[in-house]
Amino acid sequence: MLGEQEIGVLAQLVNSGENLSGGRCREEFERCFREYLSVPYALSVTSGTVALEIAIRLLDLDVGDEVIVTPQTYKASAQPLLNYPVKVRFCDVDPVSLNIGPEQFESLITSRTKALILVHYGGLPCEMDPIMAIARRHGITVIEDCAHALGSEYRGRKPGTLADIGCFSFHSSKNITTLGEGGMITLFDRTLADRVDRIRSNEADAVYHEKVRAIGERTSAHPWMMHPGFAFTHGCAAIRYGGTNATLAEPNAAVGIVQLAKLDELVRRRTEIATTYTDVLKQFPGVRTQEGPEPVRHGYHLYTFFVDPASGILRDRLVSRLDAHGVQMQLRYFPLHLLPEWRARDHDAGECPVAERMWFEQQVNLPCHPGMTDRQVDQVVSRLDTVLRQEVRNAPITSSAAHEVEGNPQCPK
């Protein structure tokens, strides 16, 4: 959903002659983001995946540590953990919300549990108050993967402020975008924020102290040209990790400022579409929609509903028929613990039976994004109603029922 405003700020920036990396736009975007969430620290990075990678670095994981994660998410939520000698425990999800629930979380905690990485699936917030109470009792750090949840609310608070660390994605499929890729890390702890700033700025993530041994006299001939950093003032006691360049470019940040100002309207449109879908689905026995704790504001990054095979509605057949009618279907997400890289780490079928049952038998995602026209929404509704009625009657459906559409409605990639 990019338009004249985004084009305008890009043209202004390019014609300004300003630096296109690490300038005023990044600072302004981060300030706006902090104010929107009411969080003390928000540091932008190049993608949501990088945000998660850096957040996981902050855990200082060691051999034998355990991290609890959800299987119902995109692979980036857990993939960085493949780089660490830790035990990953996939936590089964609640069948109503598809989120990790307090009971499921607490059942997996051991003396070695270091962290929980949860996802607000589809934009529906997790039950955060009891989850955080459990985490605090056990000394567990909680990372929110908020890639779906910008624009959502939980009991009047926004995701990214509900745990220790929040990670956002501004990929082109998300609720706002920064020209295709971008991310943000939110925190309350200044020491952690300083570490994030060093890591993203190609500085070592290290423990420094006032120097105890000089490396030579400080030169007076323009020392800033040598980028000395702490070279003349500090020594290094320990190195955690090397840094990286995760600087969000100025054009991306400039677009992010405009997009953030549009967020509430974009979520309003998503909600309008979702409400229209729900009004149709609630007419059918054996069909239910995703629900979560009240009071929440669902961001509707994804629209999800479920079918009960016992009612005669078969998920795979339903999806195939909708797809044949010109409604593009994407099922998100394949249970992570069944991917080959995690099976190589001794995970397998049966580990998360609810997540497996929901994805293989019941879960359906419909296109839901603010770029859809009213006509496209009406087309989805009409075809959904037609196919569900024939599913209930278990009647065959002919290809002649499909007809030309105004650009097939599509799920975000």
Side-chain angles (χ1 to χ4, degrees), residues 231-273:
F232 292 107
T233 58
H234 287 71
C236 181
I239 300 173
R240 301 183 186 96
Y241 303 96
T244 188
N245 180 6
T247 302
L248 185 68
E250 289 292 276
N252 302 73
V255 168
I257 295 168
V258 176
Q259 287 272 292
L260 188 60
K262 295 180 177 180
L263 174 62
D264 288 344
E265 178 59 25
L266 295 173
V267 173
R268 185 204 63 77
R269 176 58 175 165
R270 288 177 180 272
T271 303
E272 184 179 75
I273 296 169

Side-chain angles (χ1 to χ4, degrees), residues 393-411:
R393 295 195 302 268
N394 202 22
I397 188 166
T398 64
S399 58
S400 62
H403 52 277
E404 291 299 317
V405 302
E406 176 203 353
N408 288 342
Q410 295 185 358
C411 290

Side-chain angles (χ1 to χ4, degrees), residues 66-70 81 87-91 100 104-110 113-118 140:
E66 297 183 3
V67 180
I68 298 172
V69 301
T70 176
L81 293 169
K87 180 175 182 179
V88 172
R89 299 174 70 89
F90 285 99
C91 181
I100 288 177
Q104 295 97 327
F105 166 45
E106 191 163 27
S107 69
L108 293 181
I109 294 173
T110 73
T113 303
K114 192 75 174 285
L116 164 68
I117 302 174
L118 56 79
I140 296 170

Side-chain angles (χ1 to χ4, degrees), residues 254-309:
V255 168
I257 295 168
V258 176
Q259 287 272 292
L260 188 60
K262 295 180 177 180
L263 174 62
D264 288 344
E265 178 59 25
L266 295 173
V267 173
R268 185 204 63 77
R269 176 58 175 165
R270 288 177 180 272
T271 303
E272 184 179 75
I273 296 169
T275 300
T276 302
Y277 291 162
T278 298
D279 288 344
V280 174
L281 292 170
K282 66 185 181 183
Q283 303 174 45
F284 293 93
V287 177
R288 62 179 180 83
T289 57
Q290 181 197 23
E291 297 178 2
E294 293 293 342
V296 297
R297 180 189 185 192
H298 198 315
Y300 288 110
H301 170 64
L302 302 175
Y303 184 89
T304 305
F305 73 95
F306 311 97
V307 297
D308 181 1

Side-chain angles (χ1 to χ4, degrees), residues 108-366:
L108 293 181
I109 294 173
T110 73
S111 61
R112 299 306 304 268
T113 303
K114 192 75 174 285
L116 164 68
I117 302 174
L118 56 79
V119 175
H120 304 294
Y121 175 80
L124 180 66
C126 297
E127 184 64 272
M128 291 303 297
D129 285 347
I131 286 175
M132 291 308 298
I134 294 167
R136 294 289 178 257
R137 284 201 304 271
H138 293 274
I140 296 170
T141 300
V142 180
I143 297 175
E144 296 177 78
D145 182 341
C146 305
H148 300 179
L150 188 57
S152 303
E153 288 189 3
Y154 170 80
R155 304 188 187 280
R157 293 168 287 151
K158 295 179 173 64
T161 71
L162 305 175
D164 300 293
I165 305 171
C167 297
F168 291 84
S169 170
F170 307 129
H171 183 269
S172 57
S173 69
K174 300 302 188 291
N175 287 14
I176 68 170
T177 186
T178 51
L179 283 183
E181 292 287 0
M184 191 78 74
I185 303 172
T186 56
L187 310 103
F188 291 91
D189 186 291
R190 179 171 181 174
T191 299
L192 293 181
D194 287 344
R195 287 179 62 184
V196 171
D197 193 33
R198 291 189 63 80
I199 292 169
R200 72 171 179 171
S201 303
N202 246 332
E203 300 282 350
D205 180 17
V207 178
Y208 294 96
H209 57 74
E210 292 295 328
K211 71 175 183 179
V212 294
R213 181 174 61 85
I215 63 170
E217 293 300 320
R218 178 197 295 264
T219 177
S220 60
H222 311 302
W224 60 86
M225 293 184 180
M226 299 183 296
H227 304 288
F230 287 164
F232 292 107
T233 58
H234 287 71
C236 181
I239 300 173
R240 301 183 186 96
Y241 303 96
T244 188
N245 180 6
T247 302
L248 185 68
E250 289 292 276
N252 302 73
V255 168
I257 295 168
V258 176
Q259 287 272 292
L260 188 60
K262 295 180 177 180
L263 174 62
D264 288 344
E265 178 59 25
L266 295 173
V267 173
R268 185 204 63 77
R269 176 58 175 165
R270 288 177 180 272
T271 303
E272 184 179 75
I273 296 169
T275 300
T276 302
Y277 291 162
T278 298
D279 288 344
V280 174
L281 292 170
K282 66 185 181 183
Q283 303 174 45
F284 293 93
V287 177
R288 62 179 180 83
T289 57
Q290 181 197 23
E291 297 178 2
E294 293 293 342
V296 297
R297 180 189 185 192
H298 198 315
Y300 288 110
H301 170 64
L302 302 175
Y303 184 89
T304 305
F305 73 95
F306 311 97
V307 297
D308 181 1
S311 70
I313 302 175
L314 301 182
R315 197 283 303 276
D316 285 358
R317 187 171 62 195
L318 173 67
V319 167
S320 295
R321 289 176 167 178
L322 285 170
D323 192 72
H325 271 58
V327 181
Q328 185 188 30
M329 305 302 296
Q330 302 282 351
L331 299 179
R332 293 188 171 86
Y333 291 93
F334 185 81
L336 287 188
H337 63 290
L338 300 182
L339 293 175
E341 56 267 33
W342 289 108
R343 286 188 278 116
R345 289 282 186 98
D346 298 325
H347 299 277
D348 210 340
E351 185 173 351
C352 297
V354 175
E356 294 167 27
R357 182 175 75 251
M358 303 310 294
W359 194 86
F360 284 104
E361 299 179 10
Q362 299 187 25
Q363 180 180 332
V364 184
N365 299 109
L366 290 176

